[in-house]
mmCIF file of all heavy atoms in Angstrom:
data_model
loop_
_atom_site.group_PDB
_atom_site.id
_atom_site.type_symbol
_atom_site.label_atom_id
_atom_site.label_comp_id
_atom_site.label_asym_id
_atom_site.label_seq_id
_atom_site.Cartn_x
_atom_site.Cartn_y
_atom_site.Cartn_z
ATOM 1 N N SER N 116 -35.005 13.178 9.174
ATOM 2 C CA SER N 116 -33.721 12.853 9.794
ATOM 3 C C SER N 116 -33.002 14.055 10.369
ATOM 4 O O SER N 116 -32.146 13.918 11.246
ATOM 5 C CB SER N 116 -32.807 12.181 8.765
ATOM 6 O OG SER N 116 -33.435 11.060 8.199
ATOM 7 N N PHE N 117 -33.281 15.259 9.877
ATOM 8 C CA PHE N 117 -32.584 16.476 10.271
ATOM 9 C C PHE N 117 -31.074 16.207 10.179
ATOM 10 O O PHE N 117 -30.591 15.802 9.142
ATOM 11 C CB PHE N 117 -33.019 16.922 11.658
ATOM 12 C CG PHE N 117 -32.551 18.310 12.034
ATOM 13 C CD1 PHE N 117 -32.714 19.372 11.147
ATOM 14 C CD2 PHE N 117 -31.945 18.562 13.233
ATOM 15 C CE1 PHE N 117 -32.292 20.645 11.456
ATOM 16 C CE2 PHE N 117 -31.508 19.835 13.569
ATOM 17 C CZ PHE N 117 -31.679 20.878 12.673
ATOM 18 N N GLY N 118 -30.307 16.389 11.234
ATOM 19 C CA GLY N 118 -28.863 16.169 11.156
ATOM 20 C C GLY N 118 -28.410 14.886 11.797
ATOM 21 O O GLY N 118 -27.226 14.746 12.149
ATOM 22 N N SER N 119 -29.321 13.917 11.944
ATOM 23 C CA SER N 119 -28.989 12.706 12.686
ATOM 24 C C SER N 119 -27.848 11.921 12.054
ATOM 25 O O SER N 119 -26.953 11.424 12.753
ATOM 26 C CB SER N 119 -30.228 11.813 12.838
ATOM 27 O OG SER N 119 -30.746 11.448 11.567
ATOM 28 N N THR N 120 -27.837 11.809 10.735
ATOM 29 C CA THR N 120 -26.778 11.043 10.069
ATOM 30 C C THR N 120 -25.418 11.693 10.289
ATOM 31 O O THR N 120 -24.435 11.027 10.630
ATOM 32 C CB THR N 120 -27.070 10.929 8.563
ATOM 33 O OG1 THR N 120 -28.370 10.375 8.377
ATOM 34 C CG2 THR N 120 -26.048 10.048 7.877
ATOM 35 N N TYR N 121 -25.364 12.985 10.105
ATOM 36 C CA TYR N 121 -24.116 13.734 10.293
ATOM 37 C C TYR N 121 -23.577 13.541 11.708
ATOM 38 O O TYR N 121 -22.400 13.218 11.907
ATOM 39 C CB TYR N 121 -24.407 15.207 10.016
ATOM 40 C CG TYR N 121 -23.250 16.155 10.225
ATOM 41 C CD1 TYR N 121 -22.295 16.347 9.234
ATOM 42 C CD2 TYR N 121 -23.136 16.881 11.397
ATOM 43 C CE1 TYR N 121 -21.244 17.239 9.409
ATOM 44 C CE2 TYR N 121 -22.094 17.776 11.588
ATOM 45 C CZ TYR N 121 -21.150 17.953 10.589
ATOM 46 O OH TYR N 121 -20.118 18.826 10.781
ATOM 47 N N LEU N 122 -24.430 13.712 12.704
ATOM 48 C CA LEU N 122 -23.993 13.588 14.095
ATOM 49 C C LEU N 122 -23.637 12.142 14.436
ATOM 50 O O LEU N 122 -22.716 11.888 15.219
ATOM 51 C CB LEU N 122 -25.081 14.111 15.025
ATOM 52 C CG LEU N 122 -25.351 15.614 14.907
ATOM 53 C CD1 LEU N 122 -26.599 16.001 15.696
ATOM 54 C CD2 LEU N 122 -24.158 16.428 15.377
ATOM 55 N N TYR N 123 -24.359 11.191 13.862
ATOM 56 C CA TYR N 123 -24.100 9.769 14.113
ATOM 57 C C TYR N 123 -22.690 9.385 13.657
ATOM 58 O O TYR N 123 -22.039 8.524 14.249
ATOM 59 C CB TYR N 123 -25.132 8.935 13.371
ATOM 60 C CG TYR N 123 -25.606 7.678 14.082
ATOM 61 C CD1 TYR N 123 -25.320 7.414 15.414
ATOM 62 C CD2 TYR N 123 -26.372 6.743 13.401
ATOM 63 C CE1 TYR N 123 -25.772 6.273 16.048
ATOM 64 C CE2 TYR N 123 -26.837 5.594 14.019
ATOM 65 C CZ TYR N 123 -26.536 5.356 15.338
ATOM 66 O OH TYR N 123 -26.996 4.210 15.964
ATOM 67 N N TYR N 124 -22.213 10.022 12.578
ATOM 68 C CA TYR N 124 -20.884 9.722 12.055
ATOM 69 C C TYR N 124 -19.770 10.392 12.845
ATOM 70 O O TYR N 124 -18.649 9.893 12.877
ATOM 71 C CB TYR N 124 -20.788 10.173 10.592
ATOM 72 C CG TYR N 124 -21.175 9.118 9.591
ATOM 73 C CD1 TYR N 124 -22.511 8.804 9.374
ATOM 74 C CD2 TYR N 124 -20.217 8.425 8.872
ATOM 75 C CE1 TYR N 124 -22.874 7.841 8.444
ATOM 76 C CE2 TYR N 124 -20.573 7.453 7.948
ATOM 77 C CZ TYR N 124 -21.905 7.165 7.736
ATOM 78 O OH TYR N 124 -22.269 6.201 6.837
ATOM 79 N N LEU N 125 -20.072 11.530 13.483
ATOM 80 C CA LEU N 125 -19.014 12.350 14.050
ATOM 81 C C LEU N 125 -18.905 12.317 15.573
ATOM 82 O O LEU N 125 -17.809 12.506 16.107
ATOM 83 C CB LEU N 125 -19.201 13.808 13.603
ATOM 84 C CG LEU N 125 -18.967 14.078 12.120
ATOM 85 C CD1 LEU N 125 -19.300 15.521 11.794
ATOM 86 C CD2 LEU N 125 -17.529 13.773 11.734
ATOM 87 N N VAL N 126 -20.005 12.129 16.279
ATOM 88 C CA VAL N 126 -19.969 12.181 17.743
ATOM 89 C C VAL N 126 -19.534 10.818 18.277
ATOM 90 O O VAL N 126 -20.176 9.801 17.995
ATOM 91 C CB VAL N 126 -21.341 12.578 18.316
ATOM 92 C CG1 VAL N 126 -21.295 12.590 19.843
ATOM 93 C CG2 VAL N 126 -21.758 13.957 17.799
ATOM 94 N N PRO N 127 -18.453 10.773 19.072
ATOM 95 C CA PRO N 127 -17.907 9.479 19.516
ATOM 96 C C PRO N 127 -18.879 8.611 20.307
ATOM 97 O O PRO N 127 -18.880 7.396 20.157
ATOM 98 C CB PRO N 127 -16.709 9.882 20.387
ATOM 99 C CG PRO N 127 -16.318 11.233 19.900
ATOM 100 C CD PRO N 127 -17.594 11.898 19.488
ATOM 101 N N LYS N 128 -19.677 9.245 21.170
ATOM 102 C CA LYS N 128 -20.631 8.483 21.976
ATOM 103 C C LYS N 128 -22.050 8.927 21.636
ATOM 104 O O LYS N 128 -22.479 10.005 22.041
ATOM 105 C CB LYS N 128 -20.390 8.715 23.472
ATOM 106 C CG LYS N 128 -19.232 7.955 24.065
ATOM 107 C CD LYS N 128 -19.225 8.126 25.588
ATOM 108 C CE LYS N 128 -18.167 7.255 26.237
ATOM 109 N NZ LYS N 128 -18.225 7.347 27.718
ATOM 110 N N VAL N 129 -22.750 8.111 20.886
ATOM 111 C CA VAL N 129 -24.166 8.373 20.630
ATOM 112 C C VAL N 129 -24.972 7.359 21.429
ATOM 113 O O VAL N 129 -24.804 6.147 21.263
ATOM 114 C CB VAL N 129 -24.512 8.280 19.139
ATOM 115 C CG1 VAL N 129 -26.021 8.461 18.940
ATOM 116 C CG2 VAL N 129 -23.737 9.326 18.340
ATOM 117 N N VAL N 130 -25.803 7.853 22.316
ATOM 118 C CA VAL N 130 -26.664 7.003 23.131
ATOM 119 C C VAL N 130 -28.043 6.980 22.492
ATOM 120 O O VAL N 130 -28.692 8.025 22.340
ATOM 121 C CB VAL N 130 -26.753 7.524 24.581
ATOM 122 C CG1 VAL N 130 -27.701 6.646 25.400
ATOM 123 C CG2 VAL N 130 -25.368 7.561 25.218
ATOM 124 N N LEU N 131 -28.489 5.806 22.093
ATOM 125 C CA LEU N 131 -29.832 5.642 21.549
ATOM 126 C C LEU N 131 -30.803 5.493 22.705
ATOM 127 O O LEU N 131 -30.520 4.796 23.685
ATOM 128 C CB LEU N 131 -29.896 4.419 20.637
ATOM 129 C CG LEU N 131 -28.943 4.437 19.433
ATOM 130 C CD1 LEU N 131 -29.062 3.134 18.657
ATOM 131 C CD2 LEU N 131 -29.227 5.623 18.538
ATOM 132 N N PHE N 132 -31.951 6.134 22.561
ATOM 133 C CA PHE N 132 -32.907 6.193 23.666
ATOM 134 C C PHE N 132 -34.310 5.989 23.108
ATOM 135 O O PHE N 132 -34.733 6.693 22.191
ATOM 136 C CB PHE N 132 -32.799 7.552 24.364
ATOM 137 C CG PHE N 132 -33.729 7.730 25.522
ATOM 138 C CD1 PHE N 132 -33.437 7.151 26.746
ATOM 139 C CD2 PHE N 132 -34.886 8.475 25.398
ATOM 140 C CE1 PHE N 132 -34.297 7.310 27.832
ATOM 141 C CE2 PHE N 132 -35.750 8.637 26.468
ATOM 142 C CZ PHE N 132 -35.455 8.059 27.684
ATOM 143 N N ARG N 133 -35.018 5.006 23.656
ATOM 144 C CA ARG N 133 -36.398 4.747 23.203
ATOM 145 C C ARG N 133 -37.203 4.235 24.387
ATOM 146 O O ARG N 133 -36.907 3.170 24.933
ATOM 147 C CB ARG N 133 -36.406 3.704 22.076
ATOM 148 C CG ARG N 133 -37.746 3.584 21.339
ATOM 149 C CD ARG N 133 -38.061 4.839 20.572
ATOM 150 N NE ARG N 133 -39.124 4.690 19.597
ATOM 151 C CZ ARG N 133 -40.420 4.927 19.851
ATOM 152 N NH1 ARG N 133 -40.804 5.283 21.054
ATOM 153 N NH2 ARG N 133 -41.301 4.798 18.896
ATOM 154 N N LEU N 134 -38.225 4.988 24.778
ATOM 155 C CA LEU N 134 -39.018 4.570 25.929
ATOM 156 C C LEU N 134 -39.895 3.362 25.621
ATOM 157 O O LEU N 134 -40.111 2.526 26.500
ATOM 158 C CB LEU N 134 -39.886 5.726 26.426
ATOM 159 C CG LEU N 134 -39.219 6.714 27.380
ATOM 160 C CD1 LEU N 134 -40.197 7.813 27.769
ATOM 161 C CD2 LEU N 134 -38.694 6.005 28.618
ATOM 162 N N GLU N 135 -40.402 3.273 24.403
ATOM 163 C CA GLU N 135 -41.241 2.117 24.059
ATOM 164 C C GLU N 135 -40.362 0.961 23.592
ATOM 165 O O GLU N 135 -39.793 1.010 22.509
ATOM 166 C CB GLU N 135 -42.250 2.466 22.964
ATOM 167 C CG GLU N 135 -43.143 1.275 22.605
ATOM 168 C CD GLU N 135 -43.978 1.484 21.354
ATOM 169 O OE1 GLU N 135 -44.234 2.656 20.995
ATOM 170 O OE2 GLU N 135 -44.371 0.476 20.739
ATOM 171 N N HIS N 136 -40.263 -0.056 24.403
ATOM 172 C CA HIS N 136 -39.480 -1.246 24.055
ATOM 173 C C HIS N 136 -40.451 -2.321 23.603
ATOM 174 O O HIS N 136 -41.051 -3.033 24.413
ATOM 175 C CB HIS N 136 -38.686 -1.714 25.273
ATOM 176 C CG HIS N 136 -37.755 -2.858 24.986
ATOM 177 N ND1 HIS N 136 -36.509 -2.961 25.558
ATOM 178 C CD2 HIS N 136 -37.882 -3.956 24.183
ATOM 179 C CE1 HIS N 136 -35.916 -4.069 25.140
ATOM 180 N NE2 HIS N 136 -36.747 -4.693 24.303
ATOM 181 N N SER N 137 -40.626 -2.453 22.296
ATOM 182 C CA SER N 137 -41.552 -3.434 21.730
ATOM 183 C C SER N 137 -41.017 -3.894 20.380
ATOM 184 O O SER N 137 -40.096 -3.292 19.819
ATOM 185 C CB SER N 137 -42.941 -2.816 21.554
ATOM 186 O OG SER N 137 -42.929 -1.843 20.516
ATOM 187 N N ARG N 138 -41.615 -4.952 19.856
ATOM 188 C CA ARG N 138 -41.214 -5.431 18.532
ATOM 189 C C ARG N 138 -41.627 -4.462 17.431
ATOM 190 O O ARG N 138 -41.147 -4.566 16.300
ATOM 191 C CB ARG N 138 -41.805 -6.823 18.276
ATOM 192 C CG ARG N 138 -41.123 -7.903 19.098
ATOM 193 C CD ARG N 138 -41.695 -9.284 18.865
ATOM 194 N NE ARG N 138 -40.932 -10.282 19.594
ATOM 195 C CZ ARG N 138 -39.920 -10.965 19.099
ATOM 196 N NH1 ARG N 138 -39.568 -10.790 17.842
ATOM 197 N NH2 ARG N 138 -39.271 -11.846 19.842
ATOM 198 N N ARG N 139 -42.486 -3.521 17.751
ATOM 199 C CA ARG N 139 -42.861 -2.495 16.789
ATOM 200 C C ARG N 139 -41.744 -1.463 16.615
ATOM 201 O O ARG N 139 -41.549 -0.920 15.533
ATOM 202 C CB ARG N 139 -44.135 -1.792 17.262
ATOM 203 C CG ARG N 139 -44.700 -0.767 16.302
ATOM 204 C CD ARG N 139 -45.966 -0.165 16.848
ATOM 205 N NE ARG N 139 -45.691 0.803 17.901
ATOM 206 C CZ ARG N 139 -46.202 2.041 17.930
ATOM 207 N NH1 ARG N 139 -47.001 2.436 16.960
ATOM 208 N NH2 ARG N 139 -45.938 2.852 18.923
ATOM 209 N N THR N 140 -41.000 -1.202 17.697
ATOM 210 C CA THR N 140 -39.961 -0.179 17.665
ATOM 211 C C THR N 140 -38.558 -0.765 17.524
ATOM 212 O O THR N 140 -37.703 -0.155 16.883
ATOM 213 C CB THR N 140 -40.017 0.673 18.947
ATOM 214 O OG1 THR N 140 -39.871 -0.184 20.092
ATOM 215 C CG2 THR N 140 -41.339 1.407 19.048
ATOM 216 N N LEU N 141 -38.295 -1.916 18.124
ATOM 217 C CA LEU N 141 -36.990 -2.571 18.033
ATOM 218 C C LEU N 141 -37.129 -3.740 17.059
ATOM 219 O O LEU N 141 -37.579 -4.825 17.424
ATOM 220 C CB LEU N 141 -36.525 -3.043 19.416
ATOM 221 C CG LEU N 141 -36.487 -1.967 20.512
ATOM 222 C CD1 LEU N 141 -35.875 -2.527 21.788
ATOM 223 C CD2 LEU N 141 -35.739 -0.724 20.058
ATOM 224 N N VAL N 142 -36.752 -3.496 15.828
ATOM 225 C CA VAL N 142 -37.105 -4.379 14.715
ATOM 226 C C VAL N 142 -35.879 -5.101 14.163
ATOM 227 O O VAL N 142 -34.738 -4.681 14.372
ATOM 228 C CB VAL N 142 -37.782 -3.563 13.591
ATOM 229 C CG1 VAL N 142 -39.084 -2.941 14.088
ATOM 230 C CG2 VAL N 142 -36.843 -2.470 13.067
ATOM 231 N N PRO N 143 -36.096 -6.208 13.401
ATOM 232 C CA PRO N 143 -34.960 -6.905 12.783
ATOM 233 C C PRO N 143 -34.211 -6.015 11.796
ATOM 234 O O PRO N 143 -32.987 -6.049 11.722
ATOM 235 C CB PRO N 143 -35.626 -8.086 12.072
ATOM 236 C CG PRO N 143 -36.924 -8.289 12.779
ATOM 237 C CD PRO N 143 -37.371 -6.923 13.200
ATOM 238 N N LYS N 144 -34.957 -5.211 11.023
ATOM 239 C CA LYS N 144 -34.352 -4.295 10.049
ATOM 240 C C LYS N 144 -35.287 -3.101 9.866
ATOM 241 O O LYS N 144 -36.484 -3.273 9.627
ATOM 242 C CB LYS N 144 -34.158 -4.999 8.697
ATOM 243 C CG LYS N 144 -33.318 -4.193 7.704
ATOM 244 C CD LYS N 144 -31.872 -4.134 8.140
ATOM 245 C CE LYS N 144 -30.999 -3.440 7.095
ATOM 246 N NZ LYS N 144 -29.587 -3.322 7.542
ATOM 247 N N VAL N 145 -34.753 -1.902 9.984
ATOM 248 C CA VAL N 145 -35.582 -0.714 9.838
ATOM 249 C C VAL N 145 -36.105 -0.618 8.404
ATOM 250 O O VAL N 145 -35.453 -1.053 7.457
ATOM 251 C CB VAL N 145 -34.813 0.568 10.208
ATOM 252 C CG1 VAL N 145 -34.439 0.570 11.687
ATOM 253 C CG2 VAL N 145 -33.564 0.740 9.344
ATOM 254 N N ASP N 146 -37.298 -0.035 8.239
ATOM 255 C CA ASP N 146 -37.883 0.127 6.910
ATOM 256 C C ASP N 146 -37.153 1.191 6.099
ATOM 257 O O ASP N 146 -37.158 1.147 4.860
ATOM 258 C CB ASP N 146 -39.360 0.508 7.034
ATOM 259 C CG ASP N 146 -40.204 -0.621 7.602
ATOM 260 O OD1 ASP N 146 -39.715 -1.763 7.651
ATOM 261 O OD2 ASP N 146 -41.352 -0.361 8.009
ATOM 262 N N PHE N 147 -36.562 2.156 6.774
ATOM 263 C CA PHE N 147 -35.818 3.233 6.105
ATOM 264 C C PHE N 147 -34.629 3.590 6.991
ATOM 265 O O PHE N 147 -34.804 3.827 8.182
ATOM 266 C CB PHE N 147 -36.719 4.460 5.890
ATOM 267 C CG PHE N 147 -36.066 5.559 5.098
ATOM 268 C CD1 PHE N 147 -36.275 5.672 3.741
ATOM 269 C CD2 PHE N 147 -35.236 6.488 5.720
ATOM 270 C CE1 PHE N 147 -35.662 6.681 3.005
ATOM 271 C CE2 PHE N 147 -34.625 7.502 4.999
ATOM 272 C CZ PHE N 147 -34.842 7.601 3.630
ATOM 273 N N ILE N 148 -33.438 3.619 6.421
ATOM 274 C CA ILE N 148 -32.252 3.956 7.218
ATOM 275 C C ILE N 148 -32.034 5.460 7.176
ATOM 276 O O ILE N 148 -31.520 6.011 6.200
ATOM 277 C CB ILE N 148 -30.996 3.212 6.721
ATOM 278 C CG1 ILE N 148 -31.186 1.703 6.825
ATOM 279 C CG2 ILE N 148 -29.775 3.643 7.530
ATOM 280 C CD1 ILE N 148 -30.000 0.889 6.325
ATOM 281 N N SER N 149 -32.449 6.125 8.239
ATOM 282 C CA SER N 149 -32.181 7.558 8.359
ATOM 283 C C SER N 149 -30.722 7.801 8.694
ATOM 284 O O SER N 149 -30.108 8.752 8.211
ATOM 285 C CB SER N 149 -33.053 8.174 9.454
ATOM 286 O OG SER N 149 -34.420 8.025 9.176
ATOM 287 N N ALA N 150 -30.195 6.955 9.572
ATOM 288 C CA ALA N 150 -28.796 7.056 9.980
ATOM 289 C C ALA N 150 -28.293 5.652 10.262
ATOM 290 O O ALA N 150 -28.871 4.934 11.077
ATOM 291 C CB ALA N 150 -28.657 7.936 11.222
ATOM 292 N N PRO N 151 -27.210 5.225 9.589
ATOM 293 C CA PRO N 151 -26.701 3.869 9.773
ATOM 294 C C PRO N 151 -25.889 3.744 11.056
ATOM 295 O O PRO N 151 -25.109 4.633 11.410
ATOM 296 C CB PRO N 151 -25.828 3.645 8.545
ATOM 297 C CG PRO N 151 -25.355 5.012 8.172
ATOM 298 C CD PRO N 151 -26.479 5.949 8.538
ATOM 299 N N GLY N 152 -26.037 2.624 11.735
ATOM 300 C CA GLY N 152 -25.305 2.404 12.971
ATOM 301 C C GLY N 152 -23.839 2.101 12.755
ATOM 302 O O GLY N 152 -23.011 2.396 13.616
ATOM 303 N N THR N 153 -23.506 1.498 11.618
ATOM 304 C CA THR N 153 -22.110 1.155 11.315
ATOM 305 C C THR N 153 -21.810 1.503 9.863
ATOM 306 O O THR N 153 -22.714 1.763 9.065
ATOM 307 C CB THR N 153 -21.828 -0.337 11.551
ATOM 308 O OG1 THR N 153 -22.653 -1.116 10.661
ATOM 309 C CG2 THR N 153 -22.130 -0.728 12.990
ATOM 310 N N SER N 154 -20.523 1.500 9.540
ATOM 311 C CA SER N 154 -20.089 1.791 8.179
ATOM 312 C C SER N 154 -19.047 0.766 7.744
ATOM 313 O O SER N 154 -18.513 0.021 8.571
ATOM 314 C CB SER N 154 -19.485 3.197 8.103
ATOM 315 O OG SER N 154 -20.430 4.177 8.484
ATOM 316 N N ALA N 155 -18.757 0.757 6.451
ATOM 317 C CA ALA N 155 -17.717 -0.135 5.927
ATOM 318 C C ALA N 155 -16.375 0.199 6.567
ATOM 319 O O ALA N 155 -16.135 1.329 7.004
ATOM 320 C CB ALA N 155 -17.638 0.006 4.410
ATOM 321 N N ASP N 156 -15.493 -0.788 6.619
ATOM 322 C CA ASP N 156 -14.201 -0.619 7.285
ATOM 323 C C ASP N 156 -13.350 0.491 6.670
ATOM 324 O O ASP N 156 -12.498 1.068 7.349
ATOM 325 C CB ASP N 156 -13.425 -1.935 7.264
ATOM 326 C CG ASP N 156 -14.079 -3.008 8.124
ATOM 327 O OD1 ASP N 156 -14.866 -2.634 9.019
ATOM 328 O OD2 ASP N 156 -13.818 -4.199 7.899
ATOM 329 N N ASN N 157 -13.560 0.782 5.390
ATOM 330 C CA ASN N 157 -12.735 1.796 4.729
ATOM 331 C C ASN N 157 -13.320 3.207 4.852
ATOM 332 O O ASN N 157 -12.836 4.145 4.224
ATOM 333 C CB ASN N 157 -12.539 1.454 3.243
ATOM 334 C CG ASN N 157 -13.850 1.476 2.470
ATOM 335 O OD1 ASN N 157 -14.926 1.438 3.056
ATOM 336 N ND2 ASN N 157 -13.746 1.531 1.144
ATOM 337 N N VAL N 158 -14.361 3.352 5.656
ATOM 338 C CA VAL N 158 -14.989 4.669 5.873
ATOM 339 C C VAL N 158 -14.491 5.243 7.191
ATOM 340 O O VAL N 158 -14.581 4.581 8.238
ATOM 341 C CB VAL N 158 -16.527 4.550 5.899
ATOM 342 C CG1 VAL N 158 -17.160 5.888 6.280
ATOM 343 C CG2 VAL N 158 -17.044 4.074 4.552
#
Side-chain angles (χ1 to χ4, degrees):
S116 305
F117 191 48
S119 59
T120 305
Y121 177 83
L122 294 171
Y123 216 11
Y124 269 76
L125 292 175
V126 178
K128 282 188 174 184
V129 176
V130 178
L131 301 177
F132 180 78
R133 192 66 166 92
L134 276 179
E135 181 191 336
H136 185 142
S137 70
R138 288 180 175 267
R139 184 178 76 130
T140 58
L141 306 186
V142 298
K144 190 70 175 177
V145 295
D146 292 346
F147 185 96
I148 299 179
S149 299
T153 62
S154 300
D156 293 339
N157 64 343
V158 174

